Every structure is written in C-alpha cells, then in structure tokens.
Amino acid sequence: MNDRGGIVGKEAAFTLIELLISIAVLIVLLTVGIPTLVDLTRDNRLIAVNNTLNAALQLARSEAIKQQRDVVLCKSDDGSKCVTTGTWDQGWIVFHDHDGDRQCDDPDGDLICADGGRIVLIHNGIKTPEIVISGGHGNTGKRVVFTRTGFAIGYAGTFSICDSRGVAAARGLVLSMIGRIRQAGSGDNINCP
C-alpha cells in the first residue's frame, strides 16, 4: 500500500529473454530488409539512367523534326566532341549536323560545332561507376542520327543499361528505324558486359 491507500503496482521492465528475442527479431528483419533496400536503390538508379537516355533520344528526334535537319546524338567524353570508343555512360552530346559528317568539334566551348551546328544538349556521364550503357553492335554503338522526318534509318538498335547484377536487372531502350523509342522487354536483346 502506498500513502494514498492504493496498492503499489509492479514496475514494467523487460526480462533478459524478452530483450534477446527482440534483438533476434530485429536482426532477422534487417537481414531480410537491407538487401531489398539495396536492390531497390540500384533499380531506381537504372531507371533514372534509362529515363535520362530516353529523354536525350527524344530531344534529338524532336529537334530533327523541328529544325528540319539531321540531328546527332553521339558519345562524348568531354562534352565538346564525338568519340567512337568506350561506352555511352561516359557521356553524350546532341547537336545539329550542318555538314552531314556526323561529327561535332567545339574546342572553344561556345556550343557551336566547327561546321556551324549547334550543340543542344551535353550530358557529362553517369556518376555511378557500376552502371554501363552500351549501344549494341553497329551504328548505335557510336551514335544515332535522326533525319528531318524523325527517322533513324541505319541506326536501329538496343541500348542496354546494366549494373553489376547483369542482364537479370538490366534496363534498355529499343530504337526503331522510324525513330520510335520504346522500353526494352523480355524478348529484346539486352547485352551486359
């Protein structure tokens, strides 16, 4: 009894066994949950890269139609000229191809190619080192050219966007000869290095 006439209650506390069970349940939840969270983060990175490349392709196509001239999206490691080596994750540029040589060289950084074509977009590359973007074999391995009608004649192909998990988790974009860009599906040829 306490001084007010009531019964003193038992203090609430955890026993050692209850504490150990709680810790064990927490460990199991973390063991199951952390890998799922890591995969979710990786999936979101691949989706973001996929969307960024898709936007660049869509921009190049719309610029070609709008400007009524060939527009090129090419790999670029410095944002000022096209390169033919390496993968697409190093970066890319979109430019108006005035002389039809499928090349841009902008040594002074004024966004005007040596042939007078204007650089419309510079993407400085993917900052996540484990992500690789390949354009497949053929012309899409180096560049994509959209004509004034929006077609990509000779540049049809699949872009594969991969991380260390390989093809099972990969994303991709498929470019048709008529310039249509769609998400790659299970029947498309996605190749991861």
Side-chain angles (χ1 to χ4, degrees):
M1 307 258 312
N2 63 18
D3 54 340
R4 292 189 185 167
I7 299 177
V8 177
K10 203 166 102 172
E11 284 190 41
F14 288 109
T15 65
L16 181 59
I17 292 181
E18 290 171 328
L19 181 62
L20 290 175
I21 290 173
S22 298
I23 290 173
V25 168
L26 181 63
I27 289 172
V28 168
L29 289 175
L30 288 175
T31 304
V32 171
I34 288 178
T36 303
L37 183 59
V38 169
D39 283 344
L40 181 63
T41 302
R42 287 176 165 177
D43 287 343
N44 285 338
R45 285 184 188 142
L46 287 176
I47 290 168
V49 170
N50 186 72
N51 291 343
T52 301
L53 180 58
N54 189 6
L57 287 162
Q58 297 287 358
L59 173 69
R61 184 174 191 231
S62 69
E63 278 291 311
I65 295 167
K66 183 171 71 174
Q67 298 297 324
Q68 286 294 291
R69 67 179 47 185
D70 289 357
V71 172
V72 177
L73 179 134
C74 69
K75 294 184 294 190
S76 178
D77 58 2
D78 65 0
S80 67
K81 67 182 176 306
C82 296
V83 295
T84 57
T85 59
T87 53
W88 282 89
D89 48 279
Q90 66 189 319
W92 53 78
I93 58 175
V94 174
F95 64 93
H96 299 151
D97 189 18
H98 279 265
D99 63 4
D101 69 352
R102 312 305 190 226
Q103 296 295 321
C104 178
D105 188 14
D106 178 24
D108 58 3
D110 66 353
L111 302 180
I112 304 295
C113 303
D115 68 356
R118 183 172 59 88
I119 295 177
V120 179
L121 173 72
I122 298 171
H123 187 279
N124 290 319
I126 307 304
K127 304 302 181 217
T128 306
E130 74 172 10
I131 294 179
V132 176
I133 307 170
S134 62
H137 305 292
N139 291 333
T140 55
K142 299 175 185 173
R143 71 182 54 84
V144 174
V145 178
F146 290 98
T147 65
R148 64 186 65 216
T149 59
F151 284 29
I153 299 170
Y155 293 91
T158 301
F159 290 89
S160 302
I161 303 164
C162 307
D163 63 12
S164 59
R165 296 174 292 167
V167 175
R171 303 284 183 206
L173 295 169
V174 178
L175 174 64
S176 72
M177 292 255 199
I178 62 169
R180 182 173 175 258
I181 303 145
R182 67 174 174 82
Q183 299 298 317
S186 60
D188 293 309
N189 190 19
I190 294 180
N191 294 311
C192 293

